[in-house]
Amino acid sequence: MAGASARGRIDKRQQILAAAFAVFARHGYAQTCVQEIADVAGVAKPTVYNHLADKGTLFREALLATADAVSSETLAAVHTLRDLGNDPRPTFVDSAYRLLQACSSERGRSLHRLAYAQADDFADLAAEIQQRTAIRLREALADRLARLTLAGQLRPSDPEVAAEQYLALLTGPLETRSRLGARKIPAAELRTIAEAATDTFLRAYAPG
């Protein structure tokens, strides 16, 4: 019974955080009120405060929970880079496309827009989000590229440098075309970015 109660409390907290992120993304930090978050979550306002002490804590925890969710999607995309077969390009393109979808989703764009908009008031939040998303992604990609190199499917190189360069090829065009998160990039355009980045990367790192 105690386990069910604890599970219910965790679920309720997640429900509140999801509602909080949706409301913050819609209105921004200053214009959001806790009552609206409670309404969207389907709970009483005191219940929100029972789980999270104040609006600032709500904002921080909602963004960090979203960062972890976005990170799970990008890491899942990286983990598909396993056996490349005779032609590595299709696997790399599909992985890159999934990664770009996660990064350019409404949730991903709202996450970074909110974090940087409130950087003055939440000094460490943007850095923590970067740690949980971009840095965690780069480390996972470097690990995957190292494994592919050991398997002879990529030429010998520094996997951290290779990961950094591949991500730059992907995220550079993404940031430029999205105009700092203001525009949703069509799927066909994401596929084009994934293909161009992969072609450039494999010209440098495919085994000779």
Side-chain angles (χ1 to χ4, degrees):
M1 195 70 176
S5 176
R7 178 71 258 174
R9 182 171 177 80
I10 292 171
D11 290 345
K12 185 72 70 177
R13 178 185 172 88
Q14 292 174 338
Q15 180 180 331
I16 292 169
L17 291 177
F21 184 79
V23 177
F24 284 126
R26 188 181 309 139
H27 300 307
Y29 180 77
Q31 300 303 316
T32 291
C33 66
V34 175
Q35 183 61 60
E36 183 175 358
I37 292 172
D39 292 343
V40 172
V43 301
K45 187 175 179 180
T47 301
V48 175
Y49 287 121
N50 285 340
H51 286 266
L52 296 129
D54 51 39
K55 180 178 170 181
T57 302
L58 263 172
F59 183 76
R60 178 181 177 82
E61 294 302 316
L63 266 63
L64 291 179
T66 301
D68 287 340
V70 171
S71 179
S72 292
E73 294 181 0
T74 60
L75 295 182
V78 168
H79 290 160
T80 63
L81 292 172
R82 295 182 180 276
D83 185 8
L84 303 181
N86 293 327
D87 182 5
R89 186 178 187 274
T91 302
F92 266 97
V93 169
D94 287 343
S95 172
Y97 176 64
R98 289 181 57 184
L99 191 156
L100 290 172
Q101 282 182 307
C103 292
S104 66
S105 67
E106 180 65 31
R107 179 170 61 176
R109 290 182 293 126
S110 295
L111 171 65
H112 289 283
R113 184 173 65 247
L114 285 168
Y116 289 105
Q118 297 302 133
D120 289 342
D121 295 323
F122 296 84
D124 64 332
L125 184 56
E128 179 64 21
I129 288 172
Q130 184 180 38
Q131 176 64 44
R132 296 190 184 201
T133 55
I135 295 176
R136 187 178 294 172
L137 170 61
R138 187 183 65 209
E139 291 172 348
L141 181 58
D143 177 75
R144 183 54 47 194
L145 296 180
R147 293 171 185 269
L148 293 173
T149 299
L150 288 173
Q153 296 185 304
L154 292 175
R155 72 168 179 79
S157 63
D158 183 331
E160 293 186 3
V161 172
E164 186 176 66
Q165 291 177 342
Y166 191 32
L167 290 173
L169 290 168
L170 290 166
T171 60
L174 186 67
E175 292 174 0
T176 300
R177 299 186 194 200
S178 66
R179 297 180 183 177
L180 299 178
R183 180 175 77 92
K184 179 176 174 58
I185 300 177
E189 201 167 334
L190 292 178
R191 175 68 67 170
T192 298
I193 295 172
E195 290 175 345
T198 295
D199 288 343
T200 300
F201 178 78
L202 290 180
R203 276 196 293 271
Y205 289 99

